[in-house]
């Protein structure tokens, strides 16, 4: 884990990436035909693939590659009892101030003493603003029907602790992982999908014997840091930031954020927290159910401590896009290229028949059919081959496979590499093995 190097963020980068995202179908402003809707976003054909790949890579490393973590998918609508016990009803708020001059509202901890909109210093005192979205479940709108949209996925893991323990026979140290939507009525959503009111989280609660908590905390900080670097974010764009005692969440005995160097400065990608036995004890007291582990060997009952790596999927996706964005020069022409790891790239292989002529189609479709079970593929016959390479580079496709008229004679195709632009001729019957070979480092 390295200390941050001296990296200067490029302020123009956000705009370039936001434009690319819109132009190429990664992320659209939501409800655009109605003028947009308050910092909400829709993920388009390429964005949905990239976001899914981010979540799949998280799941792969957190669940599939381990034997001590299981998955969960809990309800988003939840009763007030959960949020009363967890402490969110009373403490999940941000300090809000109003500018008396221009009437904008701000998060007091983000702006200091001056309104960023109009420069006035005439601000109200800060007051707490509850961040949870409140709604009513069922046809009657009264106090008894109040429900909340979850502001984090974590509570589902605590309320299901006994269900998971008894059905899986796991024993501490073990974890429960979940990926899903969370909702926060943020006062100032900002910076594209960095902070939105509806977003996706990837969280894991790792239950451990209390005296092992600090060891596992260090383990998960290191593990999670290397997840980002392994998927292509340079060390120099990441840093660890331990929280000061006065900024810790109400449940945390220690939190370290993994931060990314966004174009506007360092920002949190993920928080790793030692939640102690706060949540299990709180839910146990409020529900009257025992939420403990009975260690048969030691003949002892205890409430595990929890180490929680809590990441944002949509925020991570944005970081991967920013880190991957590059411009270089190929044959005197500037090209835009997303240097995404092949595991994250929305399209992994593009199959490109050199011409629209009908005689190329059967063999091109044969190649597509050969690759589709193994890779997310695109099939594109429009425009010149050079333009099509550029379009694929711009969205991060690692490999293009071109079918040309020689293919009809020699049953070979050209494989072009995104980063080096190097082209090699490969027989169709070795194509799959060749491409799988290029991925096999992971
Ligand atoms: P912040 O201080 O930025 O408001 P937080 O510390 O409250 O975030 P956590 O509660 O630790 O965030 O949530 C875990 C992760 O969920 C964050 O690291 C982030 O990646 C993601 N996340 C939280 N809030 C949002 C949001 N409004 N939009 C997008 N992602 C979010």
């Amino acid at each position: 884990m390295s200390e941050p190097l001296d990296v200067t963020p490029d302020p123009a980068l956000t705009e370039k990436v936001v434009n690319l995202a819109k132009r190429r179908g990664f992320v659209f402003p939501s409800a655009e035909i109605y003028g947009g809707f308050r910092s909400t976003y829709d993920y388009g054909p390429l964005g949905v693939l990239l976001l899914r790949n981010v979540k799949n890579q998280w799941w792969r490393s957190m669940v599939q590659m381990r034997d001590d973590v299981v998955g969960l998918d809990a309800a988003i609508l939840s009763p007030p009892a959960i949020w009363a016990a967890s402490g969110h009803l009373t403490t999940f708020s941000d300090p809000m101030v109003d500018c008396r001059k221009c009437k904008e509202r701000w998060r007091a901890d983000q702006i200091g003493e001056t309104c960023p909109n109009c420069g006035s210093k005439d601000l109200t005192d800060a007051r707490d603003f509850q961040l949870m979205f409140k709604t009513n479940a069922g046809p009657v709108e009264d106090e008894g029907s109040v429900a909340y949209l979850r502001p984090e996925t974590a509570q589902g893991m605590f309320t299901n602790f006994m269900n998971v323990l008894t059905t899986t026979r796991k024993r501490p140290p073990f974890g429960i992982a979940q990926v899903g939507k969370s909702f926060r009525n943020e006062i100032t959503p900002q910076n594209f999908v960095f902070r939105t009111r509806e977003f996706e989280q990837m969280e894991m609660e790792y239950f451990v014997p209390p005296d092992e908590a600090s060891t596992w905390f260090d383990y998960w900080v290191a593990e999670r840091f290397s997840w980002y670097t392994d998927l292509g974010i340079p060390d120099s764009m990441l840093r660890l930031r331990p929280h000061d005692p006065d900024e810790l969440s109400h449940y945390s005995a220690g939190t370290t954020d993994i931060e990314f160097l966004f174009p506007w400065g360092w920002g949190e990608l993920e928080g790793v927290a030692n939640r102690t036995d706060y949540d299990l004890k709180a839910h146990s007291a409020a529900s009257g159910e025992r939420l403990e582990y009975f260690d048969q060997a030691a003949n002892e009952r205890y409430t595990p401590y929890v180490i929680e790596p809590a990441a944002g999927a949509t925020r991570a996706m944005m970081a991967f896009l920013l880190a991957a964005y590059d411009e270089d020069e190929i044959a005197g022409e500037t090209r835009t290229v997303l240097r995404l790891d092949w595991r994250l790239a929305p399209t992994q292989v593009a199959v490109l028949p050199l011409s629209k002529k009908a005689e190329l189609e059967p063999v091109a479709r044969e190649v597509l059919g050969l690759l589709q079970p193994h890779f997310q593929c695109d099939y594109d016959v429009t425009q010149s081959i050079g333009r099509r390479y550029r379009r694929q580079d711009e969205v991060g496709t690692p490999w293009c496979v071109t079918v040309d008229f020689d293919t009809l004679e020699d049953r070979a195709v050209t494989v072009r590499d995104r980063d080096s632009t190097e082209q090699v001729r490969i027989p169709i019957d070795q194509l799959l093995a060749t491409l799988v070979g290029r991925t096999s480092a992971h």
Side-chain angles (χ1 to χ4, degrees):
M1 233 151 292
S2 64
E3 274 301 296
L5 299 178
D6 192 15
V7 187
T8 316
D10 170 9
L13 184 60
T14 311
E15 205 188 313
K16 287 181 183 171
V17 167
V18 172
N19 287 344
L20 175 68
K22 170 84 198 298
R23 184 161 38 85
R24 297 304 310 275
F26 284 87
V27 181
F28 306 123
S30 198
E32 211 179 3
I33 60 167
Y34 292 103
F37 179 64
R38 296 166 184 270
S39 301
T40 51
Y41 293 94
D42 297 338
Y43 291 79
L46 292 182
V48 75
L49 293 171
L50 175 58
L51 181 58
R52 182 171 295 198
N53 290 343
V54 169
K55 294 185 285 185
N56 285 348
Q57 285 306 316
W58 185 89
W59 193 266
R60 179 180 160 80
S61 94
M62 300 299 272
V63 181
Q64 185 184 334
M65 301 298 285
R66 307 184 62 99
D67 64 1
D68 58 350
V69 178
V70 294
L72 183 77
D73 192 4
I76 289 171
L77 278 176
S78 37
I82 290 184
W83 307 106
S86 69
H88 284 77
L89 272 180
T90 47
T91 59
F92 196 61
S93 55
D94 279 337
M96 179 171 70
V97 293
D98 293 6
C99 171
R100 289 201 181 91
K101 189 161 169 228
C102 73
K103 309 292 177 217
E104 282 288 326
R105 295 188 148 170
W106 303 100
R107 246 175 82 171
D109 57 328
Q110 286 179 346
I111 64 161
E113 287 172 4
T114 312
C115 172
N117 187 39
C118 72
S120 164
K121 289 193 183 304
D122 190 7
L123 305 177
T124 61
D125 286 340
R127 59 199 186 284
D128 285 339
F129 177 75
Q130 169 55 249
L131 294 176
M132 280 196 293
F133 279 99
K134 193 176 183 180
T135 186
N136 292 87
V140 187
E141 278 194 27
D142 62 10
E143 269 311 296
S145 67
V146 168
Y148 290 94
L149 301 188
R150 65 179 179 200
E152 61 174 27
T153 66
Q155 298 303 320
M157 278 77 105
F158 301 126
T159 54
N160 282 291
F161 174 72
M162 291 312 285
N163 285 336
V164 172
L165 205 58
T166 51
T167 53
T168 64
R169 298 169 164 263
K170 292 285 173 212
R171 40 176 310 173
F174 81 99
I176 310 178
Q178 177 167 208
V179 174
K181 287 224 167 166
S182 292
F183 301 81
R184 296 180 188 180
N185 199 4
E186 299 278 0
I187 299 167
T188 43
Q190 60 195 341
N191 292 329
F192 195 42
V193 298
F194 176 80
R195 186 180 305 287
T196 49
R197 296 197 170 104
E198 173 178 349
F199 54 97
E200 266 189 285
Q201 289 189 305
M202 312 183 286
E203 298 192 299
M204 199 272 289
E205 310 304 315
Y206 199 72
F207 300 92
V208 303
D211 61 354
E212 294 177 19
S214 75
T215 309
W216 285 111
F217 179 82
D218 294 345
Y219 169 86
W220 280 112
V221 169
E223 193 73 6
R224 294 301 308 149
F225 189 96
S226 58
W227 185 76
Y228 293 99
T229 53
D230 176 53
L231 285 169
I233 297 186
D235 266 32
S236 55
M237 298 186 86
L238 292 168
R239 72 172 187 191
L240 296 175
R241 192 184 67 83
H243 282 205
D244 292 332
D246 62 353
E247 76 175 299
L248 288 175
S249 312
H250 60 279
Y251 51 74
S252 175
T255 298
T256 291
D257 286 345
I258 300 172
E259 294 190 333
F260 174 76
L261 190 59
F262 286 94
W264 57 88
W266 292 100
E268 172 182 336
L269 279 183
E270 167 158 0
V272 182
N274 175 357
R275 293 183 78 127
T276 69
D277 54 6
Y278 178 91
D279 301 272
L280 287 179
K281 282 206 164 136
H283 284 300
S284 184
S287 66
E289 299 284 331
R290 227 179 205 179
L291 303 179
E292 292 170 334
Y293 174 70
F294 179 63
D295 183 345
Q296 242 157 1
N299 194 28
E300 135 188 296
R301 198 175 281 287
Y302 69 90
T303 307
Y305 268 38
V306 173
I307 306 303
E308 172 196 71
T314 37
R315 205 178 268 189
M317 184 193 102
M318 185 171 174
F320 283 119
L321 272 177
L322 288 164
Y325 187 94
D326 195 13
E327 287 166 5
D328 62 4
E329 210 171 278
I330 303 291
E333 238 186 81
T334 307
R335 75 163 175 168
T336 300
V337 54
L338 286 185
R339 300 193 190 277
L340 288 167
D341 185 282
W342 74 271
R343 294 165 293 176
L344 298 179
T347 302
Q348 290 148 347
V349 186
V351 177
L352 310 173
L354 187 65
S355 116
K356 274 187 197 145
K357 295 236 166 68
E359 55 269 46
L360 290 186
E361 191 173 341
V363 64
R365 293 219 166 264
E366 178 195 332
V367 168
L368 179 68
L370 173 79
L371 300 176
Q372 268 174 331
H374 308 276
F375 297 105
Q376 180 68 48
C377 296
D378 186 16
Y379 184 82
D380 188 5
V381 289
T382 58
Q383 298 183 316
S384 74
I385 192 70
R387 293 283 286 278
R388 279 182 276 164
Y389 284 154
R390 294 292 179 276
R391 280 177 63 79
Q392 296 297 336
D393 290 343
E394 191 181 51
V395 297
T397 308
W399 303 292
C400 289
V401 173
T402 304
V403 174
D404 56 25
F405 291 97
D406 289 343
T407 309
L408 300 174
E409 310 300 323
D410 65 2
R411 291 203 43 90
V413 291
T414 301
V415 175
R416 174 187 179 270
D417 181 86
R418 174 195 71 199
D419 294 330
S420 65
T421 73
E422 190 186 82
Q423 303 188 14
V424 284
R425 194 87 185 154
I426 309 272
I428 291 174
D429 63 10
Q430 287 168 29
L431 178 61
L432 182 57
T434 303
L435 290 174
V436 169
R438 294 195 183 185
T439 67
S440 66
H442 301 287

